[in-house]
């Protein structure tokens, strides 16, 4: 269901669809922690032992030092959480509930610091900038709207993507931004200037994106494939197939060397080398 790397990249948290929460340490063949706990979103926090969880209509924290204790509630909403994501430094997170409200959280205090009711009709996906200052929403009409988190005002809009927006991503340094569509088109921009750096077609609907400014690459996850594009020389690498019925989730290590990919059902977790596209490791256990 969801994947998250720790700040040092040595641990990976996995929320599986079979009501199973796992924490893995890099290089180990069995999870360091495993507990029966249902959640559709997961993130590490600045507190070494606390994980942030989205569980239905509730935002929770779970302490890995006391794994058998029930999670503690931060907030309960009037509708289900459809999105949970933290900034790369794990200082802030954004939640988006089905009623259209985005909330920004300070993960040092676990307090809400801002909320933005999205007035854009048919918003489909959102992304929070690495500094937590800008929120982007992608619509079913094929446009992007950029919001200033502090003032809640619109900064700019990019129309004309010609297909519903299905994936958004900032590079870790915030200098590049990418959007993917249901038609499979991927566009990469220079964030500050708005200059278009790449337009490529993935061929199938884009489910998730990862962008790296230092190497000029974007990785696109679709249901049947993982593909890496270089927007400078136009080269691409198709990562090797696995036995996944379909892919659904993607996360990268903080050093940008490893990408983790999960399936739509109770599949293993696959770790790939980003530079070569080779499969490094497969993580899976029975409950």
């Amino acid at each position: 269901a969801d994947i998250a790397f720790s700040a040092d990249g040595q641990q990976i948290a996995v929320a599986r669809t079979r009501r199973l929460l796992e924490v893995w340490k890099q290089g180990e063949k069995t999870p360091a922690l495993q507990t029966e706990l249902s959640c559709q979103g997961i993130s590490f926090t600045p507190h070494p032992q606390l994980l942030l969880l989205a569980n239905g209509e509730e935002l929770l924290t779970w302490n890995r030092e006391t794994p058998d204790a029930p999670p503690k509630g931060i907030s309960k909403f009037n509708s289900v959480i459809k999105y949970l994501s933290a900034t790369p430094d794990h200082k802030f997170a954004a939640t988006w509930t089905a009623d259209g409200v985005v909330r920004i959280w300070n993960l040092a205090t676990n307090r809400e610091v801002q909320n933005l009711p999205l007035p854009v009709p048919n918003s489909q996906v959102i992304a929070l900038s690495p500094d937590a200052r800008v929120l982007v929403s992608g619509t079913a009409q094929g446009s992007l709207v950029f919001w200033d988190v502090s003032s809640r005002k619109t900064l700019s809009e990019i129309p004309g993507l010609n297909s519903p927006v299905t994936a958004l991503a900032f590079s870790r340094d915030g200098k590049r931004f990418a959007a993917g569509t249901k038609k499979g088109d991927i566009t990469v921009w220079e964030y500050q200037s708005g200059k278009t750096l790449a337009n490529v077609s993935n061929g199938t609907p884009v489910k998730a994106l990862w962008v790296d400014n230092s190497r000029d690459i974007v990785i696109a996850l679709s249901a049947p494939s993982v593909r890496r594009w270089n927007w400078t020389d136009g080269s691409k690498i198709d990562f090797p197939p696995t036995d996944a019925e379909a892919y659904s989730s993607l996360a990268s290590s903080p050093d940008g060397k490893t990408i983790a990919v999960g399936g739509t059902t109770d599949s293993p977790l696959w770790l790939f080398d980003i530079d070569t596209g080779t499969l490094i490791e497969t993580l899976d256990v029975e409950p």
Side-chain angles (χ1 to χ4, degrees):
D2 201 17
I3 312 165
F5 276 88
S6 61
D8 61 6
Q10 297 303 305
Q11 298 180 79
I12 306 171
V14 186
R16 298 189 186 273
T17 55
R18 60 190 180 213
R19 291 179 52 86
L20 195 64
L21 178 63
E22 300 167 353
V23 179
W24 295 77
K25 290 184 178 179
Q26 285 266 34
E28 296 189 0
K29 300 300 182 184
T30 57
L33 284 174
Q34 184 185 51
T35 186
E36 291 188 14
L37 187 61
S38 177
C39 55
Q40 71 269 26
I42 190 168
S43 173
F44 285 87
T45 75
H47 305 282
Q49 298 301 326
L50 287 183
L51 288 176
L52 186 70
L53 311 177
N55 184 337
E57 299 177 355
E58 288 189 277
L59 188 63
L60 311 166
T61 56
W62 179 65
N63 194 324
R64 291 182 288 158
E65 288 186 326
T66 55
D68 295 329
K72 292 185 178 181
I74 294 177
S75 186
K76 188 169 184 178
F77 312 110
N78 294 323
S79 57
V80 69
I81 301 170
K82 57 190 295 185
Y83 174 91
L84 167 66
S85 181
T87 54
D89 58 12
H90 297 151
K91 291 182 179 180
F92 294 91
T95 58
W96 186 24
T97 46
D99 58 3
V101 180
V102 177
R103 295 173 176 86
I104 310 299
W105 301 87
N106 183 322
L107 296 187
T109 62
N110 290 331
R111 294 185 180 276
E112 180 183 327
V113 294
Q114 185 59 284
N115 64 76
L116 298 88
L118 290 186
V120 179
N122 298 320
S123 290
Q124 296 209 136
V125 288
I126 64 171
L128 184 65
S129 65
D131 60 9
R133 295 180 179 179
V134 176
L135 181 80
V136 188
S137 61
T139 74
Q141 290 74 32
S143 63
L144 305 177
V145 184
F146 293 77
W147 308 86
D148 180 271
V149 168
S150 180
S151 67
R152 305 201 299 180
K153 294 181 179 179
T154 303
L155 293 171
S156 60
E157 183 173 355
I158 300 176
L161 297 185
N162 299 320
S163 180
V165 181
T166 54
L168 301 171
F170 281 93
S171 61
R172 190 176 180 87
D173 60 9
K175 294 182 178 181
R176 301 291 182 264
F177 182 76
T181 70
K182 188 175 181 179
K183 286 176 61 178
D185 297 328
I186 302 164
T187 307
V188 182
W189 292 270
E190 187 177 74
Y191 175 66
Q192 288 296 333
S193 70
K195 177 184 176 182
T196 301
L197 300 175
N199 277 303
V200 296
S201 178
N202 200 50
T204 54
V206 182
K207 299 178 74 69
L209 292 168
W210 179 79
V211 189
D212 182 63
N213 181 37
S214 64
R215 288 171 288 183
D216 296 349
I217 59 174
V218 57
I219 291 179
L221 182 79
S222 64
S225 66
V226 186
R227 179 174 289 166
R228 194 194 80 185
W229 302 84
N230 183 300
W231 64 72
T232 299
D233 61 20
S235 63
K236 65 179 180 179
I237 293 177
D238 286 316
F239 287 24
T242 66
D243 59 358
E245 293 181 12
Y247 294 123
S248 65
S249 51
L250 174 155
S252 73
S253 60
D255 61 8
K257 295 181 179 180
T258 305
I259 202 157
V261 176
T264 55
T265 56
D266 296 329
S267 70
L269 189 69
W270 294 279
L271 304 184
F272 293 97
D273 182 282
I274 289 176
D275 285 326
T276 64
T278 56
L279 181 64
I280 302 171
E281 195 172 0
T282 301
L283 307 179
D284 189 32
V285 294
E286 292 298 323

